Amino acid sequence: MDITIHTSVLPHDDPDASLAFYRDTLGFEVRSDVGTGRMRWITVGPAGSPGTSILLAPPAADPGITEDERRTVVEMMAKGTYGWILLATKDLDGTFERLQAGDADVIQEPTEQPYGVRDCAFRDPAGNQIRIQELR
């Protein structure tokens, strides 16, 4: 089998804030931006890696989700427990400094973890946890 990860999905509750964060703070390319208002689907990804993307999507746009499920998703997003993703960089300290200077919501400074990785963590404007591991 030849399978790759093409796109992962993270929710947003403010498409403009999410777009600014992923484009301006993380430096990702905007691949597409469709829809209007809060019903926008924005695809971003790292420059030079056109085959890997993150789709920033309205959290409960699926018509199969009940109102109770919508409320649960919104509550989990507000707590920062709904969406998360792991990214990687060769320059963890430089990346952390750039994010901190961009007013990212830092939740963990670069740390050597007992399970063998060095990483940091922050939240995007929707509360999604973004962990960045150092490539060694």
Side-chain angles (χ1 to χ4, degrees), residues 2 26 87:
D2 182 16
L26 275 181
L87 303 176

Side-chain angles (χ1 to χ4, degrees), residues 57-105:
D62 184 336
I65 294 177
T66 68
E67 284 307 311
D68 285 342
E69 291 167 334
R70 277 190 210 334
R71 272 192 300 280
T72 299
V73 168
V74 168
E75 289 169 4
M76 290 178 72
M77 285 177 64
K79 289 176 24 181
T81 59
Y82 185 70
W84 61 280
I85 194 165
L86 296 171
L87 303 176
T89 182
K90 291 180 181 176
D91 180 13
L92 185 64
D93 294 319
T95 300
F96 178 79
E97 288 174 18
R98 179 177 174 183
L99 292 168
Q100 195 171 32
D103 291 329
D105 181 12

Side-chain angles (χ1 to χ4, degrees), residues 123-135:
R123 296 200 191 285
D124 75 3
N128 298 306
Q129 183 179 162
I130 312 295
R131 295 197 73 82
I132 302 180
Q133 294 182 346
E134 182 174 55
L135 293 173

Side-chain angles (χ1 to χ4, degrees), residues 1-132:
M1 264 193 233
D2 182 16
I3 298 175
T4 63
I5 296 172
H6 182 262
T7 305
S8 290
V9 180
L10 289 176
H12 71 67
D13 55 3
D14 181 338
D16 292 324
S18 290
L19 175 61
F21 176 80
Y22 284 91
R23 181 192 59 213
D24 303 338
T25 303
L26 275 181
F28 282 6
E29 297 175 332
V30 177
R31 308 247 166 89
S32 69
D33 185 348
V34 298
T36 60
R38 291 188 176 271
M39 296 304 283
R40 280 171 62 193
W41 287 259
I42 304 164
T43 305
V44 297
S49 296
T52 304
S53 299
I54 298 172
L55 173 61
L56 305 169
D62 184 336
I65 294 177
T66 68
E67 284 307 311
D68 285 342
E69 291 167 334
R70 277 190 210 334
R71 272 192 300 280
T72 299
V73 168
V74 168
E75 289 169 4
M76 290 178 72
M77 285 177 64
K79 289 176 24 181
T81 59
Y82 185 70
W84 61 280
I85 194 165
L86 296 171
L87 303 176
T89 182
K90 291 180 181 176
D91 180 13
L92 185 64
D93 294 319
T95 300
F96 178 79
E97 288 174 18
R98 179 177 174 183
L99 292 168
Q100 195 171 32
D103 291 329
D105 181 12
V106 175
I107 56 176
Q108 178 201 300
E109 294 187 4
T111 303
E112 189 70 41
Q113 300 293 353
Y115 42 88
V117 300
R118 185 168 179 261
D119 69 357
C120 66
F122 57 97
R123 296 200 191 285
D124 75 3
N128 298 306
Q129 183 179 162
I130 312 295
R131 295 197 73 82
I132 302 180

